[in-house]
Amino acid sequence: DIVLTQSPDSLAVSLGERATINCKSSQSVLYSSNNKNYLAWYQHKPGQPPKLLIYWASIRESGVPDRFSGSGSGTDFALTISSLQAEDVAVYYCQQYYNTPYTFGQGTKLEIK
Amino acid sequence: QITLKESGPTLVKPTQTLTLTCTFSGFSLSTSDVGVGWIRQSPGKALEWLALIHWDDEKRYSPSLKSRLTITKDTSKNQVVLTMTNMDPVDTATYYCAHRAYGPGAHYFDYWGQGTLVTVSS
C-alpha cells in the first residue's frame, strides 16, 4: 500500500497569513506515460462530508477559491492557502489514486492562531 | 446536479452484517466512465477507502477488508449497495458514498454524500 504522511499534524496560522500542509508519499504517484501526479486534496469540516479542493496535484476544483493551491510531484506535495480565512478552519487530507488501495494521509488540523 | 445519500442502520451488533445503500441522482451508473465509491471515517481517525464500483460492473476493494465487503449496483434504482460482514466495534464509523470523478484514472471523489454514522455495539 502507498502510505501518505502529512506534516504537520496540526497547524495554527493567523488570519491573512499563509498556511502550508505537506504530504509525502511512500512511493511516486507520478505516472510517467501521461506525466500526471495521482494526488488529490480534500477539506473536511465537522458535520460535513469531505470537499474536493485539488486534483492531479495542482488543478483546483471548480468553485474552490484561488487562495488554495497544490504543488509538488513524485513523492512530495503541498497544499498552500495563501491568505487564511476563518472559514478555512478544517482538517485537510491528501489522497493518492495511483493504485489501489486508494489511501489518504492521516490529516492535518488547521486552526486560527 | 449530482447528489448522493447514504441510508442504513445506525446500530448493528457484533458479528452482524451491515448493509448500506447509496441513492444518487444527477448521473447514471449505466453511463461510461461513471463510478461510485465508499469511504469511512472512524471516530478520531483518518479517511479510509473501502470499495469502488464502475459503470461496467468492475469492482475494486480495499485488500484489508476485501473478504468482508461486497459492492453492487442497481442501475434502474440509481443505487449502490455495500455489505460488510462480521461487524466489529472497530467498524464504528461514519460511512460515506461518493461519486468518482470523470476521466481516465481519475479515481478521486468530487461529490460526497452527507455520511451515515454506524455504531457497532451489543
Side-chain angles (χ1 to χ4, degrees):
Chain A
D1 298 4
I2 295 177
V3 176
L4 299 180
T5 303
Q6 293 182 224
S7 62
D9 289 333
S10 63
L11 181 62
V13 175
S14 300
L15 290 173
E17 296 299 305
R18 177 185 299 260
T20 300
I21 298 168
N22 300 297
C23 176
K24 187 173 184 64
S25 177
S26 61
Q27 67 182 75
S28 176
V29 297
L30 173 63
Y31 194 38
S32 57
S33 66
N34 60 11
N35 201 36
K36 285 185 172 182
N37 287 284
Y38 285 54
L39 189 111
W41 288 96
Y42 300 87
Q43 176 190 66
H44 196 191
K45 297 181 179 180
Q48 298 182 22
K51 175 186 176 182
L52 176 67
L53 297 176
I54 303 285
Y55 56 94
W56 300 123
S58 62
I59 300 178
R60 196 180 305 114
E61 172 72 338
S62 175
V64 172
D66 61 6
R67 63 180 181 274
F68 290 90
S69 63
S71 61
S73 184
T75 61
D76 293 279
F77 300 90
L79 173 71
T80 300
I81 307 171
S82 60
S83 176
L84 189 70
Q85 304 300 303
E87 60 265 31
D88 300 335
V89 170
V91 179
Y92 292 83
Y93 293 94
C94 53
Q95 178 224 334
Q96 66 80 20
Y97 46 99
Y98 184 84
N99 59 20
T100 57
Y102 308 122
T103 50
F104 293 84
Q106 83 277 17
T108 295
K109 186 175 184 179
L110 178 58
E111 300 173 313
I112 305 295
K113 184 187 291 184
Chain B
Q1 179 186 0
I2 289 176
T3 65
L4 305 99
K5 185 174 183 178
E6 307 85 354
S7 59
T10 57
L11 179 66
V12 298
K13 290 180 167 50
T15 76
Q16 286 186 336
T17 294
L18 171 68
T19 299
L20 293 174
T21 300
C22 176
T23 304
F24 56 84
S25 63
F27 65 95
S28 171
L29 256 177
S30 60
T31 302
S32 177
D33 196 34
V34 174
V36 173
W38 286 92
I39 301 99
R40 72 178 179 181
Q41 185 176 39
S42 301
K45 300 289 184 64
L47 298 166
E48 179 183 17
W49 171 75
L50 303 176
L52 175 64
I53 189 166
H54 285 113
W55 66 280
D56 57 359
D57 212 36
E58 184 213 0
K59 301 167 187 178
R60 302 187 181 194
Y61 295 100
S62 171
S64 64
L65 293 167
K66 184 175 183 178
S67 64
R68 300 173 53 207
L69 293 175
T70 302
I71 190 169
T72 59
K73 62 181 175 68
D74 186 330
T75 303
S76 65
K77 293 182 179 179
N78 280 351
Q79 290 181 335
V80 170
V81 175
L82 181 75
T83 61
M84 181 180 292
T85 61
N86 194 24
M87 293 291 285
D88 183 272
V90 300
D91 297 312
T92 294
T94 297
Y95 288 76
Y96 297 97
C97 65
H99 174 268
R100 199 219 84 183
Y102 296 116
H107 293 192
Y108 54 91
F109 302 99
D110 52 1
Y111 294 91
W112 294 63
Q114 284 296 313
T116 186
L117 175 61
V118 178
T119 301
V120 184
S121 175
S122 54

